[in-house]
Amino acid sequence: MKLSQLLEYDPIIVQCHDNPDADAIASGYAIYEYFKEHSKNVRFVYSGRNAIQKSNLLLLINYLKIGDVLEHIEEWKDDEFEGLVVTVDCQYGAGNVTRIPAKYVAIIDHHQKEIENVELSEIVSGLGSCSTLVWRMLREEGFDLDDIKINTALYFGLYTDTNSLSEINNPFDKDMRDMIAYEKSVIIILRNSNFSLDELEIAGNAMKNYLYYPKNRFAVIKAKQCDPNILGLISDFLLQVAEVDEAIVYNEWPGGFKYSVRTCVKEVHADELASFIAEGIGSGGGHIEKAGGFIRRDLYEAKFKDLDTEEFFRTRIDEYFDTFEVIYASEYEADISKMELYAKKKIHQGFVIAKDILPIGTPVIVRTLEGDIETEVSDDLVFMIGIKGEVYTNHREKFERSYQMTDIEYLSDDELLKPEYLPTVHSRNDGSVIDLSKHAHVCISSGATQICACQIDKRVKIFTKWYTETYMAGKPGDYLAVRTDDPHDVYIVERDIFFRTYEKME
Ligand SMILES: [Mn+2]
């Protein structure tokens, strides 16, 4: 979606997520200014029980002179809004943003995609901040980015959303960090106004009363009511304790519990844990290392009656660990006596010989809808594009054994489903971006590939032989597959892809 597509609407409401953070305010404000510039009747709003309290957000609002512009509305009491609601740094319909009934809806966000059916959507999950996304969209429109205050706000949005820029890995984030002109002195003040004295006391008291569970190395802290952003600061701190691999900090609100999750081991993604905690009683999500969520009190009480909240978090997190089987493919011995033999159908797929598009030795990120894959171009590396556009890597020799190469261009083959985000390869040397699908050709599986497979009945995380840093998650109903010619090539195939790709051998 392009920003200019939204110009046909009027009036417009730009809405941040509830209890907005700096990224939501900065990106929302930049969009608001864009609409103002185009003479739209536009409002800039956020919800959540409380008005913004956090010190640096108040300073930011003051700096941008938007104290009278940014409206806090607890809930929408009027009739359906006749214009367009644009949610920024969140997705219309998701749990972290109060619903404003509206005739038209648009989404601009950088979190994992939660909401599927909104046509006017720009959701780019790989980005460190929504500010980056807005910066990119404004540049595409040729919008004048000379406004130092907007730039400073956007920079601060990226700064706060990437753990003080320490978690930047996306080239777009890097571009903005390196290219944008901002007021450094303002950033220094903002980043050093993270706590109020009251909050210092809340955080200090909370930290004294941690609960630690050595078996799975997690710690839980219950804090008093405070700005939800403080939960993140406490959990960032808590995670840095050597004994702690997963940190959960929460507090109670009349409507439920707000919690923040931090993780630092590759077996546990924070977004997954956060969403597991809230399953059926709220919502949770975020990024691999940082996430959060909200549990609704009414649903919690209906399900757990008067279970102590400390006890709830403890049992829920233990359940999370019990629910998963972790498989390290390179040392895994699959029990193939319980599996059945399948052969790969003669299906079309895409492929690119890596060294044809980048020099050997180039460190790259392959960006796909499913996430990023980090690897290095080698003499025998082959990028494969599966039937749903999912990307994985292969080795030349194995590839040639299992597939027949053709001259058909990948994009011109109608048999292949094209994903909404066409995979790209980002060189980590110079930030250049190559559209993988434009270089891909079609290959046809020779049918020689045979696997043993069985349906799984619990959640599985696999560190495959090829990606040892991040796991591939499987859910009950998916298939666990082992190649017959390589017992350590173990992977998960989603149920619907499985039946389109493999057929049972008699
Ligand atoms: Mn954000």
Side-chain angles (χ1 to χ4, degrees):
M1 180 185 75
K2 281 183 164 311
L3 270 183
S4 50
Q5 277 172 258
L6 303 179
L7 290 177
E8 62 180 84
Y9 301 93
D10 203 12
I12 298 172
I13 290 177
V14 177
Q15 185 186 17
C16 302
H17 55 73
D18 298 356
N19 307 304
D21 55 11
D23 186 38
I25 295 171
S27 47
Y29 173 61
I31 296 282
Y32 167 85
E33 278 296 317
Y34 171 79
F35 288 132
K36 273 249 121 148
E37 199 74 11
H38 288 86
S39 315
K40 296 290 166 191
N41 174 8
V42 56
R43 290 171 66 183
F44 183 25
V45 309
Y46 71 95
S47 292
R49 182 166 293 270
N50 295 314
I52 291 167
Q53 301 166 26
K54 195 167 185 282
S55 324
N56 57 8
L57 299 181
L58 294 173
L59 282 171
L60 178 66
I61 287 166
N62 198 24
Y63 166 69
L64 295 172
K65 299 195 171 63
I66 52 171
D68 297 330
V69 171
L70 181 56
E71 303 169 57
H72 175 230
I73 46 174
E74 233 180 277
E75 57 183 308
W76 187 261
K77 296 198 178 84
D78 301 339
D79 296 336
E80 185 186 70
F81 179 60
E82 284 292 310
L84 173 78
V85 167
V86 188
T87 62
V88 287
D89 200 28
C90 60
Q91 298 166 34
Y92 188 92
N96 64 340
V97 55
T98 297
R99 191 169 178 277
I100 297 178
K103 200 161 177 189
Y104 309 103
V105 175
I107 293 173
I108 296 173
D109 190 24
H110 71 120
H111 294 93
Q112 290 302 317
K113 193 165 189 167
E114 265 187 87
I115 302 296
E116 297 285 349
N117 53 0
V118 173
E119 206 185 306
L120 291 170
S121 275
E122 184 70 4
I123 302 174
V124 184
S125 323
L127 293 175
S129 72
C130 192
S131 295
T132 310
L133 177 56
V134 167
W135 176 75
R136 201 171 97 178
M137 295 174 87
L138 289 172
R139 277 163 56 95
E140 274 168 17
E141 298 296 343
F143 186 76
D144 182 14
L145 280 159
D146 283 346
D147 186 330
I148 193 95
K149 285 183 191 278
I150 294 183
N151 286 356
T152 305
L154 291 174
Y155 184 90
F156 191 57
L158 176 65
Y159 182 91
T160 51
D161 255 32
T162 55
N163 222 346
S164 313
L165 303 178
S166 65
E167 290 171 8
I168 286 191
N169 54 35
N170 185 289
F172 287 111
D173 293 321
K174 286 181 181 167
D175 281 352
M176 182 169 99
R177 178 195 63 192
D178 299 341
M179 288 159 70
I180 203 165
Y182 63 94
E183 290 192 89
K184 201 174 170 193
S185 57
V186 173
I187 295 293
I188 291 173
I189 289 180
L190 290 174
R191 71 174 151 88
N192 287 300
S193 310
N194 228 352
F195 279 109
S196 67
L197 286 170
D198 286 347
E199 285 162 349
L200 177 67
E201 209 170 303
I202 290 174
N205 285 333
M207 281 191 236
K208 283 191 297 196
N209 297 313
Y210 66 85
L211 294 167
Y212 179 66
Y213 303 98
K215 188 175 141 225
N216 290 314
R217 298 174 56 86
F218 68 88
V220 179
I221 283 180
K222 180 177 181 181
K224 283 209 319 202
Q225 253 188 44
C226 58
D227 184 301
N229 297 292
I230 302 296
L231 298 180
L233 292 165
I234 303 173
S235 56
D236 280 341
F237 191 89
L238 180 60
L239 188 67
Q240 291 177 53
V241 175
E243 289 86 351
V244 175
D245 288 345
E246 301 87 23
I248 292 90
V249 180
Y250 74 99
N251 60 12
E252 288 196 36
W253 295 83
F257 320 108
K258 176 94 196 136
Y259 60 93
S260 174
V261 177
R262 297 290 185 268
T263 61
C264 64
V265 285
K266 68 178 186 179
E267 286 79 5
V268 182
H269 290 173
D271 51 347
E272 187 181 68
L273 176 57
S275 110
F276 183 89
I277 289 172
E279 223 168 67
I281 49 172
S283 68
H287 302 279
I288 287 179
E289 291 171 66
K290 296 171 154 218
F294 188 77
I295 291 168
R296 281 174 47 182
R297 186 176 292 279
D298 53 342
L299 298 177
Y300 179 88
E301 280 170 1
K303 207 164 168 181
F304 300 102
K305 295 213 170 61
D306 13 70
L307 178 71
D308 203 71
T309 52
E310 272 107 339
E311 192 56 16
F312 165 77
F313 279 101
R314 185 187 67 74
T315 51
R316 196 65 188 141
I317 296 163
D318 277 340
E319 273 167 35
Y320 172 84
F321 282 100
D322 292 344
T323 302
F324 283 95
E325 182 185 355
V326 180
I327 294 174
Y328 302 91
S330 48
E331 54 209 47
Y332 182 70
E333 302 293 338
D335 180 4
I336 56 168
S337 69
K338 292 187 180 127
M339 296 177 150
E340 285 176 298
L341 198 58
Y342 293 84
K344 195 150 186 174
K345 292 179 182 171
K346 293 202 180 221
I347 50 158
H348 287 197
Q349 277 184 247
F351 78 97
V352 174
I353 307 291
K355 66 175 178 181
D356 289 353
I357 56 168
L358 281 165
I360 291 169
T362 312
V364 291
I365 294 172
V366 186
R367 177 145 303 134
T368 76
L369 206 57
E370 286 81 21
D372 288 356
I373 300 162
E374 282 185 46
T375 184
E376 194 176 291
V377 175
S378 63
D379 189 39
D380 68 344
L381 180 71
V382 183
F383 296 120
M384 305 291 298
I385 309 178
I387 48 172
K388 272 170 80 181
E390 75 282 7
V391 175
Y392 55 98
T393 58
N394 207 335
H395 288 265
R396 182 81 183 244
E397 183 254 339
K398 196 167 133 194
F399 167 71
E400 284 177 359
R401 236 189 305 138
S402 325
Y403 297 89
Q404 230 183 315
M405 293 185 250
T406 75
D407 290 332
I408 309 166
E409 282 173 18
Y410 168 78
L411 287 174
S412 67
D413 187 335
D414 296 330
E415 257 190 53
L416 287 158
L417 293 177
K418 307 299 183 302
E420 56 191 302
Y421 182 93
L422 289 168
T424 49
V425 180
H426 301 246
S427 159
R428 299 185 73 177
N429 283 344
D430 59 7
S432 62
V433 180
I434 295 170
D435 193 338
L436 197 62
S437 53
K438 280 191 187 146
H439 293 270
H441 287 87
V442 169
C443 57
I444 300 166
S445 41
S446 58
T449 303
Q450 292 184 5
I451 58 162
C452 290
C454 65
Q455 211 163 18
I456 50 173
D457 52 14
K458 67 187 291 188
R459 302 199 209 202
V460 173
K461 300 179 184 187
I462 296 191
F463 292 92
T464 67
K465 209 174 148 183
W466 317 109
Y467 314 127
T468 52
E469 284 289 315
T470 39
Y471 56 78
M472 194 178 189
K475 52 189 184 309
D478 290 345
Y479 279 76
L480 180 70
V482 186
R483 278 181 72 124
T484 51
D485 59 353
D486 183 353
H488 290 297
D489 196 350
V490 185
Y491 50 97
I492 291 284
V493 187
E494 247 180 69
R495 193 188 146 82
D496 63 323
I497 294 188
F498 187 81
F499 289 109
R500 288 169 52 181
T501 317
Y502 296 99
E503 58 198 344
K504 203 160 169 183
M505 293 183 66
E506 296 310 323

